Amino acid sequence: MENVFSKIYHPIKDYIFIFVGTVLYAFGFIGFVMSYEIVPGGLTGVASIIYYATNIPVSITYALVNVLLLLFAFKIMGKKFVLNSLIGIVALTLTLMLFEWLLKDKVLVHNQPFMSIVIGSAIGGVGLGMIFAAGGSTGGTDIVGAVVNKYRNVSIGRVLMFLDFLIIASSYFLFHSVEKIVYGYVVVFVEVYMLDKVLNANNQSVQFMIFSEKYEEIVHHIINDLQRGCTILDGQGGYSRENVKVIVLLAKKSESSMIFRFIKSIDKQAFISQSNVQGVYGEGFDTIKS
């Protein structure tokens, strides 16, 4: 029964995260970045250049170009890659359409272009972080990066960075403004920063190494009260040459204070080492996603 629930719950949770993430990204982009005619990176940057030049809605260009990219990627990357990208693309297309309608010709932050793009890109970065944390994708230049990475020894991140640089720089031919180009790079920087913060917050764990003569009592508390497993290692003091037991414990960062409190309540002389760990996968932590 628990297995069936898990199979249903996790995909639904991921879809909700992807949808909420696309809502945040579309709101940040349409409501704050586009109101000052700033071109960001990625396919939304290409679509915004086309919009500023021809008045064709960003959502239409974004959807049409993604259809072409998916058809191209289908032959190269396969069905699974296309299906994984399709969910995020459809959700973002719909949310872009929604905010184009709701926020048409509206400026949410008046006479403050820098503040507006920082707010918009921060919101958009959080949205992208939620999408990627749920295993989703927004398509666009991500597809190009994946295709290039398959045939060339170039990382997807490097391909995306190069494309973002070109897309933002190309806005000069439309606006003849270096200031708008600089603002475009600020958008990319803030989005990437916030995206990393969301992804790292989702994966933040800590590793404890606990040295204590009362290790059995501490282990009992970890297993029964904290509901976590741990490992007991045999060690030897470098100076005393006495045998010691070392408890290795992996836990969520949010549990750190509680762990320190209960260890000190058991053994005030315990020696504790704590280090940050990013990406702990398995029971009680994150699931491995391909």
Side-chain angles (χ1 to χ4, degrees):
M1 187 69 183
E2 189 178 339
N3 241 354
V4 174
F5 174 77
S6 181
K7 284 181 180 179
I8 296 171
Y9 170 74
H10 290 294
I12 290 175
K13 185 187 76 171
D14 286 344
Y15 294 149
I16 292 172
F17 264 67
I18 290 171
F19 178 72
V20 173
T22 57
V23 169
L24 289 174
Y25 179 81
F27 174 62
F29 175 62
I30 301 292
F32 295 92
V33 177
M34 279 196 72
S35 57
Y36 284 96
E37 295 187 327
I38 305 301
V39 175
L43 183 53
T44 48
V46 175
S48 62
I49 290 175
I50 294 172
Y51 170 74
Y52 299 138
T54 66
N55 218 31
I56 296 173
V58 168
S59 56
I60 300 300
T61 304
Y62 176 82
L64 290 176
V65 175
N66 264 313
V67 168
L68 295 175
L69 287 173
L70 287 176
L71 290 173
F72 174 66
F74 182 77
K75 290 185 177 181
I76 299 171
M77 305 300 292
K79 181 180 176 182
K80 186 177 180 181
F81 176 85
V82 171
L83 289 175
N84 285 345
S85 302
L86 195 60
I87 296 167
I89 291 169
V90 171
L92 187 52
T93 300
L94 294 175
T95 50
L96 284 170
M97 286 180 175
L98 174 66
F99 286 110
E100 282 173 334
W101 174 64
L102 288 175
L103 302 175
K104 187 174 183 179
D105 300 324
K106 290 183 180 178
V107 178
L108 300 181
V109 179
H110 294 275
N111 304 317
Q112 293 286 340
F114 185 76
M115 183 61 69
S116 184
I117 65 167
V118 168
I119 294 171
S121 50
I123 294 171
V126 171
L128 288 174
M130 292 178 68
I131 293 167
F132 293 139
S137 166
T138 55
T141 51
D142 293 355
I143 297 173
V144 178
V147 172
V148 172
N149 176 255
K150 184 171 182 178
Y151 292 103
R152 293 285 184 272
N153 188 25
V154 182
S155 70
I156 293 176
R158 188 170 296 179
V159 174
L160 297 182
M161 184 173 65
F162 177 73
L163 290 173
D164 286 347
F165 178 84
L166 282 182
I167 292 164
I168 295 169
S170 66
S171 68
Y172 182 81
F173 298 104
L174 185 63
F175 299 116
H176 304 290
S177 170
V178 174
E179 184 181 19
K180 286 184 182 290
I181 292 175
V182 173
Y183 282 157
Y185 292 134
V186 170
V187 170
V188 172
F189 174 79
V190 175
E191 280 184 353
V192 170
Y193 178 80
M194 294 304 296
L195 188 154
D196 283 343
K197 284 291 182 184
V198 172
L199 290 178
N200 289 337
N202 191 52
N203 292 326
Q204 274 189 338
S205 300
V206 288
Q207 176 179 281
F208 286 92
M209 297 189 73
I210 306 160
F211 302 77
S212 172
E213 293 181 357
K214 299 181 179 179
Y215 68 91
E216 288 186 352
E217 194 175 342
I218 293 172
V219 168
H220 177 82
H221 189 95
I222 291 170
I223 294 171
N224 292 285
D225 298 330
L226 195 60
Q227 299 293 309
R228 290 213 174 273
C230 60
T231 302
I232 303 174
L233 304 179
D234 289 316
Q236 187 180 63
Y239 177 77
S240 66
R241 297 300 176 182
E242 292 181 0
N243 292 329
V244 294
K245 296 291 185 181
V246 183
I247 303 168
V248 178
L249 168 65
L250 288 166
K252 292 291 185 182
K253 194 169 187 177
S254 57
E255 299 171 325
S256 296
S257 298
M258 179 176 61
I259 291 169
F260 275 109
R261 280 199 300 271
F262 86 70
I263 292 174
K264 286 302 181 182
S265 70
I266 295 171
D267 183 5
K268 291 182 179 179
Q269 303 302 317
F271 184 83
I272 308 167
S273 166
Q274 178 190 348
S275 57
N276 291 326
V277 181
Q278 185 176 323
V280 180
Y281 302 94
E283 188 175 348
F285 291 91
D286 299 313
T287 54
I288 299 173
K289 293 184 179 180
S290 57

